[in-house]
Amino acid sequence: MAGSNFVDYVKIFARSGHGGGGSTHFRREKFVAFGGPDGGDGGKGGSIVLQGDKQYWTLIHLKYQRHQFAEDGEHGSGARSSGKDARDIVIPVPLGTVAKRVFENEDGTATTETVGEVTADGERLVLLRGGRGGLGNWHFKSATNQTPRYAQPGEEGEEGTFILELKVLADVGLVGFPNAGKSTLLSVVSAAKPKIADYAFTTLEPNLGIVEVRDHKSFVMADIPGIIEGAHEGRGLGTRFLRHIERNSVLLFLIPADSDDIRRDYDVLLGELTQYNPELLDKERLLAVTKCDMLDEDLIAEMRGHLPEGVLSVFISSVSGLNIPRLKDMLWEALQR
């Protein structure tokens, strides 16, 4: 995930296809004195379907394809020939995509209802079903009605507006204020190349990296854009990226060693997550004090007394490599728990 190509929110308008109508047809052949009804069935209209694809990491391919229209099914014809089913519109989406349907209220406001989410490769989620094809007139013949002159029309399709939101799927999510060292850590422990600079909000989109640990094991780490106090109310980058943290199994809080009050910073970060979604408190949490390459053992020992209680902590340096292997082991153990 890099640069302006990352899109995690898009609104689309979709319409499924109508079903084809059944045929009102009678058999007309030489030497067949009493050809009966033989109208075929109509074909099914195309559906609108989301399908998980692990090759996709963003919704940018839908940014300029916001209208998705499926074709109608073909009508039936004589000799009991059924109309052709229309092709479904299958939209590939990255894993972690949530679909919500938008409903317009009479007072001009809009409400949304979650349709479902796609979290596995190949998993399908039907947004709109295509209309069923109608039955031909040969279905309606009977002893008392041997020449039915009617057939069933095809069922109409559906249409609707949908919001697609991407919530990044990762094992470990990095949580911290801007310039806490999240991007630098990700670049050190994985092959990811996030943008790194010494100013606020350098990271403007989530970055993912695969972290290798002992015995050829690995896990996925996500660098979530920095949080500031009041983010749950829309300050800074607001709640746009807080939703990505919902999908992480373990949360790694990063606070730099030069912080004025590490315990307060941790409480502020935890408070923002809690006010956004109280269920985030149930996730496993670890604390890494970053930028410790200039600290000696005595100072680190003294700082330990000022760390928040009840959370595993480690002092690290992405520059010197201090305790980076230990941090990876701690994260792997947390994931196993």
Side-chain angles (χ1 to χ4, degrees):
M1 293 186 181
S4 60
N5 287 335
F6 180 74
V7 175
D8 61 356
Y9 177 98
V10 68
K11 180 184 285 188
I12 66 172
F13 177 79
R15 185 178 67 204
S16 61
H18 301 320
S23 171
T24 304
H25 189 273
F26 294 91
R27 188 176 179 188
R28 296 285 188 267
E29 293 180 41
K30 192 175 183 181
F31 307 119
V32 179
F34 301 100
D38 67 348
D41 303 336
K44 184 183 77 68
S47 299
I48 306 294
V49 182
L50 301 183
Q51 179 169 300
D53 190 328
K54 63 183 180 181
Q55 301 299 323
Y56 284 76
W57 295 96
T58 172
L59 296 170
I60 191 172
H61 59 294
L62 296 176
K63 187 175 181 180
Y64 304 106
Q65 298 178 15
R66 300 196 177 191
H67 292 82
Q68 300 285 339
F69 299 146
E71 297 178 350
D72 298 335
E74 291 185 355
H75 297 303
S77 57
R80 296 189 185 181
S81 297
S82 297
K84 183 180 179 181
D85 291 342
R87 180 176 56 88
D88 292 338
I89 299 296
V90 179
I91 305 171
V93 292
L95 309 188
T97 299
V98 178
K100 299 179 180 179
R101 189 164 185 173
V102 181
F103 296 94
E104 300 292 338
N105 301 322
E106 294 181 356
D107 59 1
T109 61
T111 56
T112 60
E113 179 180 299
T114 300
V115 178
E117 53 188 324
V118 179
T119 59
D121 187 44
E123 179 182 357
R124 286 194 166 204
L125 174 64
V126 178
L127 295 184
L128 297 172
R129 294 191 179 278
R132 290 177 298 180
L135 299 177
N137 66 338
W138 75 274
H139 286 278
F140 303 104
K141 67 179 181 179
S142 66
T144 57
N145 185 13
Q146 297 185 8
T147 57
R149 300 185 180 278
Y150 54 86
Q152 187 180 48
E155 186 179 55
E156 292 188 357
E158 304 175 289
E159 62 180 37
T161 299
F162 296 86
I163 291 173
L164 303 184
E165 289 183 352
L166 173 60
K167 295 183 180 181
V168 168
L169 289 172
D171 298 306
V172 177
L174 303 182
V175 180
F177 294 119
N179 291 331
K182 300 185 299 298
S183 297
T184 303
L185 175 63
L186 183 67
S187 69
V188 168
V189 300
S190 75
K193 303 296 181 184
K195 182 180 179 182
I196 300 172
D198 190 21
Y199 55 86
F201 303 120
T202 308
T203 303
L204 297 178
E205 65 281 322
N207 290 281
L208 296 181
I210 298 176
V211 181
E212 294 186 1
V213 290
R214 306 176 193 274
D215 303 323
H216 305 290
K217 299 182 177 67
S218 64
F219 59 84
V220 178
M221 178 180 286
D223 169 20
I224 309 297
I227 300 171
I228 68 170
E229 192 168 1
H232 72 282
E233 299 174 340
R235 292 187 60 195
L237 296 178
T239 61
R240 178 181 174 190
F241 296 111
L242 283 175
R243 66 172 173 267
H244 294 300
I245 299 175
E246 294 178 305
R247 292 294 179 83
N248 304 149
S249 301
V250 174
L251 301 181
L252 176 61
F253 288 73
L254 271 64
I255 300 176
D258 57 6
S259 167
D260 294 333
D261 190 334
I262 293 178
R263 183 175 299 181
R264 178 192 177 278
D265 286 351
Y266 174 81
D267 289 340
V268 170
L269 290 169
L270 189 60
E272 289 301 319
L273 300 187
T274 304
Q275 293 180 77
Y276 172 72
N277 184 353
E279 293 182 2
L280 294 175
L281 284 176
D282 298 332
K283 294 184 180 294
E284 187 90 13
R285 301 191 298 272
L286 285 82
L287 170 63
V289 181
T290 63
K291 306 181 182 180
C292 296
D293 45 296
M294 301 299 290
L295 304 184
D296 56 28
E297 290 296 330
D298 293 337
L299 186 53
I300 289 178
E302 180 183 345
M303 292 177 65
R304 289 189 187 279
H306 301 282
L307 299 182
E309 300 175 353
V311 57
L312 291 174
S313 59
V314 60
F315 289 77
I316 67 170
S317 170
S318 299
V319 174
S320 68
L322 174 68
N323 285 333
I324 294 298
R326 182 185 174 193
L327 173 63
K328 293 196 291 185
D329 288 341
M330 291 173 63
L331 291 171
W332 179 257
E333 292 171 3
L335 288 170
Q336 304 318 300
R337 291 194 294 271

